Amino acid sequence: MTGRWMMAIAGMVLAAFLVAPDRFAPLFQPLTRNGAPAIYQQTSILSLTLSHLGIVTVAVLASTVAGLVLAILVTRRSGREFLPLARTVTAVGQTLPPVAVLALAVPVMGFGTGPTLVALFLYGMLPVFENALAGLTGQSPQVAEAARGMGLTPVQRLWQIDLPLALPLLLAGMRLTAVISLGTATIGSTVAARTLGEVIIAGLLSANTAFVVQGGLVVGILAVLIHHGFQALERRARLRTGLD
Amino acid sequence: MPRIQPPAVLFALTGLAGLALPLVQLRPNRIVPGEGIALAGLPGGAAITIVMAVVLLAACLPRWTADLRLGVAIAGLLAVLLLLGMAATHLQQSGNALARVSPAVGFWLLLLAFGLMAADAVGRLRLSLTWRWAMLAGAVGIAAAILVSGILDGVSVMREYASRSDLFAREARAHLTLALGSLGLALLAGIPLGIAVYQSPRWRGPVLSVLNIVQTVPSLALFGIMIPVLGWVAATVPGAGAAGVSGIGAFPALTALFLYALLPVVSNTLAGLTGVPVAIRDAAVGLGMTRAQVLGQVLMPLALPVLLAAVRIVMVQNIGLAVIAGLIGGGGFGTFVFQGLNQTAMDLVLLGALPTVALALVAGIALDLLVQGTRRPAP
């Protein structure tokens, strides 16, 4: 319960800061030197936050759809041949550092939001795919037996049994993807994507600690909120399937 | 029932696309865009293109066994690397000294096609642990031999390397120090902490949720925040500065990596210890062992595989995250990545990113094999 209260307070402080960042200037003033501004002014922090969240949302949705479709395909009879390969590729892919994937996307795609989106999408697909696969293959034989006994067609079984049972694990995969994407998108500002990383990097370049801290806090609070939001969804999904 | 292998069709299509698209890119100097040249456009390239296309299509036939496929895939990977080196050498002889030849889409697709073919074959062969260690060692050895032989010296990334080989060695050491140092510190602090929360369950919730929140904070933010925090500590806590605490250089990066590494170490220590069956613990106590003996001689050895799994997670994660250190002046391969991004010199970006990827892959596979080795039932 205390966790929920802390999340609510963190969310409200974040909202207040995003709406009127200048009100918080006295808090950040001690962190500046030589009369440097206490609040990042070049671009509004709110618009950077929205752009950051926009990039992450698009990437997470795209990787969820792609990862889920792939997981469904390799668990059908016609796609079984691809299952071992898919497992290997996912395992190997997840050892690749997200930052390196971002850096490697630039030579191919150039600067801007595009390479960041593609890197986030490709990397984010792996946790979603892995978890969806675990959810689709990990159910008890009794469930499959019961579904066959009820006379469900394969499509009905997928929609009414397999996917609802896999939902909690799928959500856990989306949570991993969302948190990783949020962090990697921050680094995306080094390849000219419009994200909150801009604030942190401006702070690092001008040795203005206030910028570093405010950028870091906004991203950090967002990450913690998203993490807890997904966990709440997972609990609800597990309750609904009766697994808990 | 003989029929065409669907995965092999995927590899063939990827490889054929790679043959059709530009293999290399020729640019007048290191930062301007250039023209793509396909394999068929190089002298003798048309014949090689045909041979490769035939091999890729033939691999779709059902008769081919997994070890034959593996052999073809390895030969294909070597051929693609050699072709890149030869193309670079050839194109540079005929052009100006500043011209750069870098790998293009076609090269990466061919590498992907043969790499996937190799991965698929290895997965089907169900090799023994010893064989997989041998294959990993062989792959690293061959890669090192190719790099040392100078075949690839004409390729742009290697030319970036040639002009800063001393710096590269230094940043490689810095990168390894960051990744391994933070892992070592995390083990030193995390294992006792994991044992402590195992013995007093009251603290499990709070400790794990704090570490969870740290893990959630994006890396750039944590790295950035470490600079002022540690600067303040060094300036105010007596003796901290003398002990090496500093807000600049590698120390903030090391601290951030250490904090990220704590959660896997603590939670896996705990999971490993709680995973030991109660009957075994009771038997040890029944033998008259002291608490310390039970912990040191029974529980910890049994928890070792789970702990090693944490080492694998941390190792791979920290090799990747150490790249961010380059952004805050902490050294490592990230220095090249971010310098390259600033100068829009993509060869320099690759010089930082490729070794990081290779290091993470080798460390990940090696530790996976190590974990599997300890999990095997004792004879």
Side-chain angles (χ1 to χ4, degrees):
Chain A
M1 235 27 211
T2 48
R4 195 171 291 181
W5 276 108
M6 276 173 60
M7 289 305 124
I9 292 169
M12 279 191 289
V13 171
L14 179 64
F17 178 73
L18 290 179
V19 173
D22 292 329
R23 292 275 176 84
F24 288 75
L27 270 178
F28 289 105
Q29 203 67 57
L31 298 173
T32 62
R33 269 179 299 179
N34 308 330
I39 302 290
Y40 188 67
Q41 302 290 354
Q42 271 86 327
T43 327
S44 108
I45 295 185
L46 180 62
S47 83
L48 285 178
T49 308
L50 291 179
S51 159
H52 192 125
L53 284 177
I55 292 174
V56 171
T57 310
V58 170
V60 170
L61 286 181
S63 34
T64 302
V65 171
L68 184 60
V69 168
L70 280 179
I72 292 175
L73 286 180
V74 298
T75 47
R76 300 307 100 185
R77 191 180 295 163
S78 50
R80 284 272 174 200
E81 282 283 327
F82 287 94
L83 189 56
L85 177 67
R87 280 192 207 278
T88 317
V89 170
T90 324
V92 171
Q94 279 179 325
T95 56
L96 303 182
V99 190
V101 174
L102 183 65
L104 291 176
V106 177
V108 184
M109 301 197 50
F111 286 85
T113 307
T116 310
L117 259 179
V118 169
L120 294 185
F121 162 70
L122 287 178
Y123 197 81
M125 227 160 70
L126 304 172
V128 172
F129 174 79
E130 192 174 42
N131 277 31
L133 200 60
L136 288 173
T137 54
Q139 17 176 293
S140 66
Q142 286 100 314
V143 172
E145 201 56 41
R148 201 172 318 136
M150 282 166 70
L152 294 184
T153 65
V155 176
Q156 280 175 328
R157 196 187 134 193
L158 178 67
W159 279 109
Q160 298 172 15
I161 313 276
D162 293 352
L163 285 179
L165 281 179
L167 187 62
L169 270 173
L170 179 68
L171 284 170
M174 287 177 74
R175 166 166 55 87
L176 286 175
T177 292
V179 170
I180 294 173
S181 298
L182 204 72
T184 313
T186 320
I187 301 155
S189 65
T190 58
V191 300
R194 260 171 54 86
T195 72
L196 285 163
E198 199 180 307
V199 183
I200 301 177
I201 288 171
L204 290 174
L205 291 179
S206 61
N208 186 340
T209 307
F211 289 177
V212 175
V213 172
Q214 63 198 247
L217 280 181
V218 172
V219 190
I221 294 176
L222 281 176
V224 173
L225 286 177
I226 289 176
H227 181 86
H228 277 259
F230 268 108
Q231 276 189 331
L233 283 178
E234 285 163 44
R235 269 194 299 276
R236 192 173 287 186
R238 271 206 305 272
L239 281 179
R240 245 187 46 168
T241 54
L243 293 175
D244 251 11
Chain B
M1 183 182 70
R3 61 189 192 91
I4 283 181
Q5 299 268 325
V9 176
L10 177 73
F11 310 148
L13 289 177
T14 314
L16 291 178
L19 288 172
L21 290 165
L23 180 78
V24 290
Q25 208 186 27
L26 177 64
R27 294 167 303 160
N29 66 45
R30 84 195 262 257
I31 49 174
V32 297
E35 49 161 345
I37 299 171
L39 178 56
L42 293 161
I48 303 173
T49 305
I50 293 171
V51 171
M52 279 198 154
V54 168
V55 170
L56 281 165
L57 288 172
C60 299
L61 295 174
R63 291 271 174 74
W64 285 39
T65 54
D67 34 7
L68 184 57
R69 271 175 225 280
L70 183 60
V72 168
I74 292 173
L77 285 172
L78 287 176
V80 174
L81 282 174
L82 295 184
L83 283 172
L84 174 69
M86 277 150 59
T89 315
H90 167 76
L91 287 170
Q92 250 153 15
Q93 274 164 359
S94 48
N96 65 37
L98 284 175
R100 289 295 183 117
V101 182
S102 50
V105 180
F107 169 78
W108 297 116
L109 283 178
L110 281 171
L111 212 58
L112 181 70
F114 288 114
L116 285 175
M117 193 190 274
D120 184 53
V122 169
R124 281 164 204 273
L125 278 174
R126 298 180 193 286
L127 295 166
S128 71
L129 210 55
T130 322
W131 263 107
R132 280 186 283 167
W133 274 114
M135 284 192 62
L136 178 65
V140 172
I142 291 175
I146 289 180
L147 288 177
V148 172
S149 72
I151 297 168
L152 294 179
D153 280 359
V155 183
S156 54
V157 186
M158 293 305 286
R159 290 188 57 189
E160 291 285 346
Y161 168 74
S163 62
R164 62 193 92 210
S165 56
D166 293 342
L167 201 59
F168 184 85
R170 206 180 72 198
E171 301 300 359
R173 267 198 307 276
H175 202 97
L176 284 176
T177 311
L178 281 175
L180 290 173
S182 56
L183 170 65
L185 290 175
L187 289 177
L188 281 180
I191 295 177
L193 191 58
I195 294 173
V197 293
Y198 169 70
Q199 283 169 343
S200 50
R202 219 155 43 90
W203 286 96
R204 272 179 214 179
V207 168
L208 287 181
S209 49
V210 167
L211 293 180
N212 246 315
I213 289 182
V214 171
Q215 193 83 12
T216 323
V217 176
S219 43
L220 185 57
L222 191 65
F223 276 72
I225 288 173
M226 278 306 133
I227 295 179
V229 169
L230 292 174
W232 180 82
V233 170
T236 48
V237 179
V245 175
S246 158
I248 52 170
F251 198 80
L254 194 70
T255 315
L257 291 176
F258 163 75
L259 289 176
Y260 277 126
L262 267 185
L263 176 71
V265 172
V266 173
S267 70
N268 276 34
T269 305
L270 183 63
L273 291 174
T274 45
V276 176
V278 180
I280 293 184
R281 217 178 55 203
D282 288 349
V285 175
L287 282 170
M289 288 174 132
T290 64
R291 243 176 110 165
Q293 282 174 327
V294 173
L295 190 67
Q297 294 173 17
V298 179
L299 294 182
M300 284 312 283
L302 286 172
L304 189 65
V306 188
L307 192 59
L308 267 180
V311 172
R312 185 225 185 264
I313 296 171
V314 170
M315 198 62 218
V316 169
Q317 176 182 289
N318 280 8
I319 288 174
L321 284 176
V323 172
I324 319 273
L327 205 54
I328 60 163
F333 290 132
T335 315
F336 298 132
V337 172
F338 294 112
Q339 235 174 49
L341 289 176
N342 278 335
Q343 306 173 358
T344 65
M346 289 312 140
D347 304 327
L348 196 51
V349 174
L350 288 181
L351 183 64
L354 291 179
T356 313
V357 167
L359 209 56
L361 270 181
V362 171
I365 295 173
L367 284 165
D368 268 343
L369 293 179
L370 210 60
V371 171
Q372 280 168 21
T374 54
R375 281 225 172 106
R376 273 192 309 182

